[in-house]
Amino acid sequence: MKSGESGTDAPEPPAKRRRDAGATREAILRSAVAAFTRHGYDGVGVREIARDAGVTAMLINRYFGSKEQLFAEAVDTAFAPRTVVSGEAGTLGRDTALTLVARTASGADRLDPFLLMLRSAGSPRAAEIVRTGVERHVGRDLAARLPGPGADERAELLLSVLAGVWLMRKVLGTQALAGADPAELAGRIEALFEPLVSPPEAASTQD
Amino acid sequence: MKSGESGTDAPEPPAKRRRDAGATREAILRSAVAAFTRHGYDGVGVREIARDAGVTAMLINRYFGSKEQLFAEAVDTAFAPRTVVSGEAGTLGRDTALTLVARTASGADRLDPFLLMLRSAGSPRAAEIVRTGVERHVGRDLAARLPGPGADERAELLLSVLAGVWLMRKVLGTQALAGADPAELAGRIEALFEPLVSPPEAASTQD
DNA sequence: ACGCTATGTCTACGACTGTATACATGCCCC
DNA sequence: GGGGCATGTATACAGTCGTAGACATAGCGT
C-alpha cells in the first residue's frame, strides 16, 4: 500500500530515513512550512504534512504536541532567518522594492513567509501566532533600521505595504499588478517607501 | 426544540418569518456576508450561516446552489455598494486615509469588505472569487478617479496599501499600528497615498 | 373550501478533521 | 547477541463538513 509515492507536490522520493528523531522532526517542520505557505493553516491537514515528510500523522503530535504548536514553530522557522528588507539605510527603499517585485514576479513561486501570513490570517489562532512572529522577528529589526521617531509605526506601515502587494499580486492575482512592468512597478513602490524609510523631519501633512 | 434562539451572535430573535422566498434569500445573504467577514470562507459552515438567518442549512443549497456560490454572491453584496475611496480627486488621498484609520480604529468592528477579503484569501476558490469582485467593483471605479497614465496599476497599489493596513491593524492586530495615534497615522498614510493619487507627471525612477 | 405547489425541515451519508490509545520494530548498549 | 527503549505505525473515535433525498406544511389560486 505504500505505492503512493508519486505525489503531485512531494519532490523527493520516500528515501527511507534511518531512525533519527532530529532529522524526522526537521523533515516534518520543513514540510509544514511548505504546506502552510501554499495552503494556509486551515487549508492543510496534518496527514498531508506528514505524508510529504514521509511519516505518519501521529508523529506530528508526538514531536510538536498539536497542529497549532507545529504551526507556531513553522512560523518561527519561516520568519526567523529571512531578511525581509535588504540593503543599508540609504538604499533600503529601493532594495526592498526591487526584492519585492522580483519575489512576487509571475513565474516565481517562492515559499515566502508573507504567503504563509496572508493565507493563514483567516484563522484567529493562526493570526495570533503570526502576529507575534511578525512582531518579534521582522518588525523589530526593521524598526531598528529606520532612523527618526515613530520607527515602530513606520516599520509596520512598510510591512503593510509589502503584505498588500503580496496579497494583490500573488494571493489574489489581480490583473494590473500581476501583469505590471517590473521596473515601473518597482519605481512606484519605491516611491511608496520613501516617506517611510526617510526620517520624518518636518514632512507632515503639507499640501 | 426551537428554544435555541439565544444565539451569541444573532442580534435578532427568530421572528417567524412568513413564507417568503425573497426575504429568506436576503436573510441568508446578509447572514453570509456577516459570517464570511468575521470568520472567512473556511472558518464558517453553512449550518452556522443558516442558523443566524433563522433557517436550516439546506435552504442555502436550494437558493444558492452551494456554499461557494453563496460566497460569490456575498462578495458581490459586500463590495458592490461600498465606496472604498471617498472624496474628489483633490482630497481623495486625505479622505481615504482618514476613512481608513477611522474604520480600522480599535473599537470599531465594522463589517468591512476588506475583512472579508483578507480572511478568505487563504482558500484558492475564495481568492479567485474575491479577485474578480475586487476588480469589477472597486478597482475599476477607483482607477477611473485617478488622473494620469497607469491608473489601473496605481489603483491596485492603493488597494494594496489599504489591504495591508487592514491586515496589520485589524486582522493581525500588531501593536504599533493597532495602538497608533489616529491623526499621526492618518498623516503617514496620506503621505503614502500621495504618489498614487497625484498624476505621475515626470516622477519616474529618478535619483 | 380544497388541492397543488412553493417553501422549509429532517435525516443521513460519505469524507475529512485532529488526536488518543494500542501496537510494532529498529537500534544502541551492555 | 539479546534486553530495552526510542522511534514509528495502525486503528479508532468523536466531531464537523457540504450536500443529497425524502418528507412536512403553509398559503395562494380557483
Side-chain angles (χ1 to χ4, degrees):
Chain A
M1 287 297 261
K2 57 182 54 175
S3 62
E5 69 268 16
S6 63
T8 60
D9 278 323
E12 31 198 357
K16 263 309 180 190
R17 236 188 332 276
R18 251 177 83 88
R19 289 203 168 189
D20 182 345
T24 300
R25 225 191 97 104
E26 204 167 334
I28 293 175
L29 194 51
R30 277 192 290 107
S31 172
V33 169
F36 285 139
T37 302
R38 280 199 267 258
H39 310 113
Y41 180 75
D42 280 337
V44 67
V46 291
R47 287 169 177 83
E48 181 179 348
I49 296 175
R51 181 171 43 78
D52 286 0
V55 296
T56 54
M58 277 316 298
L59 277 197
I60 288 182
N61 275 27
R62 196 199 292 282
Y63 284 141
F64 296 90
S66 67
K67 181 190 181 185
E68 189 172 323
Q69 291 175 262
L70 170 62
F71 181 74
E73 282 214 36
V75 167
D76 260 32
T77 303
F79 276 105
R82 305 307 175 93
T83 306
V84 76
V85 291
S86 46
E88 310 296 324
T91 65
L92 193 144
R94 188 208 308 271
D95 289 355
T96 304
L98 287 174
T99 304
L100 171 63
V101 172
R103 287 183 181 174
T104 58
S106 188
D109 55 340
R110 168 198 178 80
L111 290 183
D112 199 280
F114 274 101
L115 288 177
L116 196 163
M117 171 175 78
L118 288 165
R119 292 207 248 248
S120 302
S123 167
R125 301 189 193 177
E128 167 71 12
I129 293 169
V130 167
R131 194 203 96 228
T132 66
V134 168
E135 286 177 344
R136 292 200 307 113
H137 293 302
V138 192
R140 190 164 51 184
D141 75 60
L142 174 55
R145 298 197 196 189
L146 298 183
D152 291 343
E153 197 175 312
R154 288 185 290 135
E156 289 193 2
L157 271 180
L158 201 150
L159 290 179
S160 301
V161 177
L162 286 171
V165 173
W166 269 101
L167 174 75
M168 299 287 280
R169 282 198 97 192
K170 295 297 281 184
V171 177
L172 297 187
T174 56
Q175 292 183 323
L177 279 194
D181 173 68
E184 189 181 48
L185 180 61
R188 293 196 204 280
I189 296 177
E190 182 186 351
L192 280 184
F193 289 159
E194 188 69 16
L196 296 175
V197 297
S198 64
E201 8 193 354
S204 68
T205 66
Q206 73 177 41
D207 57 335
Chain B
M1 288 297 261
K2 55 184 58 173
S3 64
E5 69 267 16
S6 64
T8 60
D9 277 324
E12 31 200 355
K16 262 309 180 190
R17 235 188 332 276
R18 254 177 82 88
R19 289 203 169 187
D20 181 346
T24 300
R25 226 190 96 104
E26 203 167 336
I28 293 175
L29 194 53
R30 277 192 289 109
S31 171
V33 170
F36 286 138
T37 301
R38 279 200 268 258
H39 310 113
Y41 181 75
D42 280 337
V44 67
V46 291
R47 286 170 177 83
E48 182 180 346
I49 297 174
R51 181 170 44 76
D52 286 359
V55 296
T56 54
M58 276 316 298
L59 275 198
I60 288 182
N61 275 20
R62 195 198 292 281
Y63 284 142
F64 297 90
S66 68
K67 181 191 181 185
E68 191 173 320
Q69 292 176 263
L70 170 62
F71 180 74
E73 283 215 34
V75 167
D76 260 32
T77 303
F79 276 105
R82 305 306 174 94
T83 306
V84 77
V85 290
S86 46
E88 310 296 324
T91 65
L92 191 145
R94 190 207 305 273
D95 289 353
T96 304
L98 287 174
T99 304
L100 172 63
V101 171
R103 287 183 182 174
T104 59
S106 190
D109 57 338
R110 167 198 178 81
L111 291 184
D112 198 280
F114 274 101
L115 288 176
L116 196 163
M117 170 174 80
L118 289 164
R119 292 207 247 249
S120 302
S123 168
R125 302 188 193 178
E128 166 71 11
I129 292 169
V130 166
R131 194 204 95 230
T132 65
V134 168
E135 287 177 342
R136 292 199 308 111
H137 294 302
V138 192
R140 190 164 51 185
D141 75 59
L142 174 55
R145 298 196 197 190
L146 298 183
D152 292 343
E153 196 176 312
R154 288 185 291 135
E156 287 192 3
L157 272 180
L158 201 150
L159 290 179
S160 301
V161 176
L162 286 171
V165 172
W166 268 101
L167 175 76
M168 299 288 281
R169 284 197 96 193
K170 294 299 279 185
V171 177
L172 298 186
T174 56
Q175 293 182 323
L177 279 194
D181 173 69
E184 189 181 47
L185 181 60
R188 293 197 203 282
I189 296 177
E190 183 186 350
L192 280 184
F193 289 158
E194 188 71 15
L196 296 176
V197 298
S198 64
E201 8 193 353
S204 69
T205 66
Q206 74 178 36
D207 58 337

